[in-house]
Amino acid sequence: MSDPYSSRTAVHEQVVGGFGTVRVLPLDPGADAAVIHRWVGEERAVFWGMTELTEQQVAAVYAHMAALDTHHAHLVVRDGEPVALLQTYEPEADRVSECYDVRPGDIGVHLLLAPAGPGGGQPGWTARLVAVIAAYVLLGLDRRRVVVDPDVRNEKAVARFLGLGFAPGPVVVLPEIDLPEVYLPEKKAQLAFLDRELMFPG
C-alpha cells in the first residue's frame, strides 16, 4: 500500500522498533480536513469542542491557525496511517498564561488520538506514540517543559497524561475567548507538566 503522505516534508521522523516509523507533518488545512473532521466529530472528541463543525469549518479553523506564529497544528502519521492531531503553542500567547506562571522553555500541547482500529487499543501504543511526540517537542524544539490543559471532565485524558509521567498542576478556569476569528468557551482544566529531565535524563 502506497503512503499518501510520503511526499510531504516532516518536521520530525523517528523509527521505533516494533512500532513503526512515526512522522510529524505540518497540518495541511485543505488536504487533512476530511481526516480531522472525522475525528473531531466523534462523541469521544466532545472536549475538543468541534463536534458540530462541518469539514469546511474545520479547514477554516486550521487555515487560521496556520497563519499564526504562536500556534501550530500537525498530523502525526505512523507507517503512512494518520494516528493523531498534535497542536503546539506558546503558553504566553495563549489564555492558559492567565492561569499559571509561564517559565522560559515551556511549550503547550493539545493531543487528539485517532480512534482505535478494528482490533481496538493495543497496550503501550499511546505511550510509544507520546514518547515520539515528546522527543519532537522537548528535544527537536529544544523546550524545557510541556504543559497540557485537558478539561477536568475528560477523566480519560487526565488519567492518560498522569499515567505517562506528567505531574499534576492546579485545576484552573481558562477564560472565555470571543473574537471574530475564534471563539473558545470558558473551560475548567487540569493543568499537568512534563519536564525534559524526567523524560530524557542526562
Side-chain angles (χ1 to χ4, degrees):
M1 191 179 78
S2 63
D3 176 356
Y5 301 96
S6 58
S7 62
R8 287 167 57 174
T9 302
V11 294
H12 182 78
E13 183 169 327
Q14 195 172 328
V15 178
V16 182
F19 188 66
T21 300
V22 180
R23 304 175 74 230
V24 181
L25 310 174
L27 189 80
D28 181 325
D32 299 330
V35 170
I36 302 304
H37 176 252
R38 195 165 68 243
W39 295 352
V40 299
E42 295 188 345
E43 184 60 33
R44 67 184 188 91
V46 65
F47 297 110
W48 205 258
M50 300 172 76
T51 47
E52 303 301 319
L53 299 191
T54 64
E55 185 177 320
Q56 289 71 26
Q57 287 171 319
V58 169
V61 166
Y62 287 103
H64 168 70
M65 188 179 292
L68 302 176
D69 293 328
T70 55
H71 293 63
H72 303 280
H74 303 86
L75 188 69
V76 184
V77 177
R78 181 186 73 136
D79 291 343
E81 195 68 34
V83 290
L85 169 61
L86 168 69
Q87 293 175 200
T88 60
Y89 61 91
E90 303 299 336
E92 63 269 22
D94 190 85
R95 60 181 178 167
V96 75
S97 64
E98 298 181 37
C99 303
Y100 89 104
D101 292 326
V102 180
R103 290 186 200 162
D106 278 1
I107 187 166
V109 164
H110 297 304
L111 181 64
L112 178 65
L113 299 176
Q122 299 167 346
W125 191 96
T126 301
R128 284 188 280 186
L129 186 69
V130 168
V132 173
I133 291 168
Y136 164 58
V137 172
L138 292 168
L139 302 180
L141 299 179
D142 192 22
R143 297 306 182 99
R144 307 301 309 175
R145 186 172 69 155
V146 174
V147 55
V148 293
D149 60 359
D151 192 301
V152 290
R153 296 169 298 169
N154 191 354
E155 295 173 0
K156 196 170 181 179
V158 173
R160 179 186 295 130
F161 283 123
L162 298 183
L164 291 168
F166 281 73
V171 172
V172 299
V173 177
L174 304 183
E176 176 188 61
I177 293 178
D178 193 0
L179 300 171
E181 64 276 9
V182 62
Y183 173 74
L184 295 170
E186 184 179 272
K187 180 173 98 168
K188 191 175 184 183
Q190 169 68 64
L191 298 188
F193 303 92
L194 182 67
D195 288 307
R196 185 163 83 185
E197 287 72 19
L198 183 73
M199 195 77 183
F200 305 103

